[in-house]
DNA sequence: TTGTAGGCGTTATCAC
DNA sequence: GTGATAACGCCTACAA
């Protein structure tokens, strides 16, 4: 390519890198030749020379077909693209044993940073990598055995607020249906549920405080909870999957039990179901921003240098979206 | 690293590349040193040396927060991961003008192949790249101005089948609500709708054959369609966004108008809404497989060499998921 | 303003 | 079975 333009490789490099000290005439002829030869600078070679500094970041997600993670990924992609970086996406299929392999594959691609939804019980294996200069930010859940930035929801506060709203609406027998006792988010949401009950001098009825883990049995658990004689007058779900199961269990007859879902979901508004909502895409954007801060890529409204601040935990706020479902015909 | 193991760089290369002609003893000491030093082979350097052959493929999608595209992406990722490849994901935000830039960014990363949901009106700009050896497969829609493999739904057939089912249920005034006249999928679905009506000697009533494009006005369009005096007795939607708008327009009073949605969606079963369903993840898997075929990566059940077959169009089947909504109280 | 030398980590080639 | 050498395409450093 360089020879085709009648200049040295270095001059081509200068042109494509946008360096200033090139004669306009030279620049033009180089650009012309580049166009003719379909020349595209090789970012791989550049990364190699500059010491493995790539423009890709890795995002390890559990299951992309979950709308929540998809929305987070959309936010990540968007924020990265704004800074000329791209997202290498890998999924663990929610298999804890797969996490390390998947992370390894991304690191072998020399990603410049790592975003991770932790699935494995322990992330200490990342410590060495972190020290070698690859920043790690966890999303949705904090890491275990690793000090890292994390972007998480106000799980407990959101659940507390929702539960309190149900209590204020007159409910006394409120149930919680979580999906997985091994997930810290589900635990925190139940904690918020319990503390709100306790604050009102109440407690969950036996069998009305469920945390799973349910794999395929979620629909059945919802049916059991809502079909019995002693069914609760209100339910708070642990996530959008649980919300879907509750709707399936109740059919379209949503007026008999008050429902608040954790996670907003499509049609929740049409069905009049109250939800604990938040901006999932913003979560992704904030996580990406955390990583970019560590990499020294300034934000648009750049003020201070954030590459060396101590590990941060960014709390993403939730808001209770009040819809018809807060009350119900069986309200006492 | 090589020196630490007391061998040459080439021997390390042989070990990590899994070549056979290495003494077991040597191999062990190399692996031991690699473990101790946190050694990770640099795929960038490898790609450089081997001529730009990377293990990443690029997937250009419109909007990841659409559950359909997210599911396709999940399928792509999964199939690629099975063969040790990773997915570089970029989004056009459904902006036709952004497509070329986004594709360019992926090509600069030297992706080995390209999966693309076409958004721009023309993809001929990819022809040179294709000839240079980067295979291109389009997903959901065929390319314009470019001969490439594509994986698409049986849009017309699916819509035809759904419409016929509504006719068979006794409906005569059936409406179609599509979201975008500039999308070939929406056009094909309406074509299927119209041909089914024609086959029965019917035609859509004025204003009951809508194709958009609606950006923010989709909810309003659904309300207008379903609120009037001359509202149809049945509706076929063009996609999941239109289905959501229809449900919002009808509220939970879904019994007054029969609805069939194109695209399955969460809770469609709970709401008793019939849908034209298909396996979106399988679509992604098939698209990835097309690309891998072109790259000479054999399938598990490898039979023939598919790298050089003429461009294929893979049709992904749809199936009508019959639920309560096929009939309605206003059925004639 | 432009060019030359050298090397990033890997692998192909050809020796030993 | 193993190693020395060169080269992939680019950039840093230093000349010219």
């Amino acid at each position: 390519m360089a020879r085709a333009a009648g200049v040295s490789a270095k001059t081509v490099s200068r042109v494509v890198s946008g360096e200033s000290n090139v004669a306009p005439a030279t620049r033009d002829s180089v650009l012309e030749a580049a166009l003719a030869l379909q020349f595209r600078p090789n970012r791989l070679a550049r990364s190699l020379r500059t010491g493995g500094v790539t423009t890709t970041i890795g995002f390890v997600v559990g299951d992309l077909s979950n709308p929540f993670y998809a929305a987070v990924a959309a936010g990540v992609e968007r924020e990265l693209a704004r800074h000329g970086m791209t997202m290498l996406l890998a999924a663990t299929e929610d298999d804890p044993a797969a996490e390390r392999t998947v992370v390894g594959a991304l690191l072998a691609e020399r990603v410049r940073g790592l975003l991770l939804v932790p699935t494995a019980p322990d992330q200490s294996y990342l410590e060495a990598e972190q020290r070698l200069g690859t920043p790690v930010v966890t999303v949705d859940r904090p890491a275990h055995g690793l000090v890292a930035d994390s972007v998480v929801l106000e799980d407990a506060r959101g659940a507390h607020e929702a539960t309190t709203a149900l209590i204020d609406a007159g409910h006394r027998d409120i149930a919680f249906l979580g999906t997985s006792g091994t997930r810290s988010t589900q635990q925190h949401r139940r904690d918020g549920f319990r503390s709100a009950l306790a604050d009102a001098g109440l407690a969950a009825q036996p069998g009305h405080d469920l945390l799973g883990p349910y794999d395929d049995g979620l629909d059945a658990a919802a049916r059991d909870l809502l079909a019995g004689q002693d069914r609760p007058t209100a339910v708070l779900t642990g996530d959008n999957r649980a919300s879907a199961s509750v709707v399936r269990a109740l059919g379209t007859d949503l007026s008999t039990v008050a429902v608040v879902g954790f996670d907003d979901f499509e049609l929740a508004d049409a069905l009049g179901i109250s939800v604990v909502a938040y901006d999932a895409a913003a979560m992704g954007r904030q996580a990406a921003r955390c990583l970019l801060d560590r990499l020294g890529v300034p934000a648009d409204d750049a003020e201070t240098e954030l590459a060396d601040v101590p590990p941060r935990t960014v709390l993403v706020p939730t808001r209770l979206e009040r819809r018809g479902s807060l009350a119900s015909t069986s309200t006492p």
Side-chain angles (χ1 to χ4, degrees), chain A:
Chain A
M1 153 69 203
R3 320 301 150 175
V7 298
S8 78
K10 178 60 204 174
T11 302
V12 175
S13 168
R14 277 193 254 262
V15 173
V16 300
S17 301
E19 287 179 45
S20 53
N21 43 352
V22 181
T26 316
R27 145 169 282 111
D28 287 348
S29 64
V30 169
L31 289 175
E32 189 180 347
L35 203 63
L37 297 189
Q38 295 279 327
F39 175 79
R40 208 186 293 283
N42 189 334
R43 290 183 99 132
L44 270 52
R46 178 189 317 226
S47 302
L48 186 60
R49 180 62 183 86
T50 54
V53 179
T54 63
T55 59
T56 60
I57 74 99
F59 185 22
V60 179
V61 72
D63 171 23
L64 200 52
S65 43
N66 183 323
F68 165 62
Y69 292 122
V72 173
V76 168
E77 197 275 341
R78 199 183 162 94
E79 179 68 18
L80 291 177
R82 279 162 39 81
H83 298 277
M85 310 201 58
T86 51
M87 176 177 73
L88 208 46
L89 190 68
T92 60
E93 312 283 344
D94 280 325
D95 173 9
E99 180 180 303
R100 207 164 162 166
T101 312
V102 165
V103 166
L106 254 34
L107 290 174
E109 298 288 346
R110 290 299 195 270
V111 291
R112 196 159 157 204
L114 199 59
L115 292 168
L116 170 70
V117 179
T119 300
D122 183 270
Q123 278 75 43
S124 58
Y125 66 93
L126 276 170
E127 197 185 328
E129 200 63 42
Q130 219 180 16
R131 268 203 307 265
L132 256 48
T134 308
V136 177
V137 175
T138 71
V139 188
D140 190 40
R141 305 190 271 274
H144 285 284
L146 185 77
V147 177
D149 292 335
S150 65
V151 179
V152 298
L153 286 176
E154 294 183 330
D155 290 306
R157 207 198 60 78
H160 189 286
E161 182 181 9
T163 308
T164 302
L166 287 168
I167 294 169
D168 290 346
H171 293 281
R172 290 297 173 268
D173 185 358
I174 307 172
F176 178 80
L177 176 62
T179 52
S180 171
T182 60
R183 284 260 215 289
S184 63
T185 49
Q186 294 292 304
Q187 291 163 9
H188 293 152
R189 291 168 196 182
R190 184 174 66 169
D191 290 347
F193 163 76
R194 285 182 169 176
S195 71
L197 288 183
D199 288 350
L202 300 170
Q205 299 299 310
H208 288 183
D209 188 357
L210 307 168
L211 199 48
Y214 303 107
D215 285 323
D216 296 328
L218 194 51
D219 280 344
R223 273 198 306 273
D224 290 349
L225 177 64
L226 297 168
Q229 301 294 350
D230 62 338
R231 73 172 177 185
T233 67
V235 189
L236 172 65
T237 69
D239 63 19
N240 52 8
R241 286 181 47 228
S243 303
S245 290
V246 165
V247 173
R248 285 200 194 90
L250 294 174
T252 45
D253 186 20
L254 285 161
S255 58
T256 55
V257 175
V259 178
V260 179
F262 209 113
D263 297 335
D264 203 352
F265 60 95
E266 179 93 69
L267 297 184
D269 58 339
L271 296 172
I273 294 183
S274 306
V275 294
V276 179
Y278 52 86
D279 189 341
M283 235 180 129
R285 281 200 301 276
Q286 296 221 49
R289 187 94 289 287
C290 259
L291 205 54
L292 292 170
D293 285 345
R294 293 287 175 196
L295 293 170
V297 179
D300 294 341
D301 51 349
E303 332 99 38
T304 49
E305 183 60 56
L306 288 167
D308 294 317
V309 300
R312 290 180 288 170
T313 295
V314 177
L315 284 180
V316 176
T318 61
R319 63 176 188 282
L320 179 61
E321 206 74 59
R322 292 163 188 273
R323 297 180 183 130
S325 73
L326 267 182
S328 80
T329 54
S330 59
T331 304

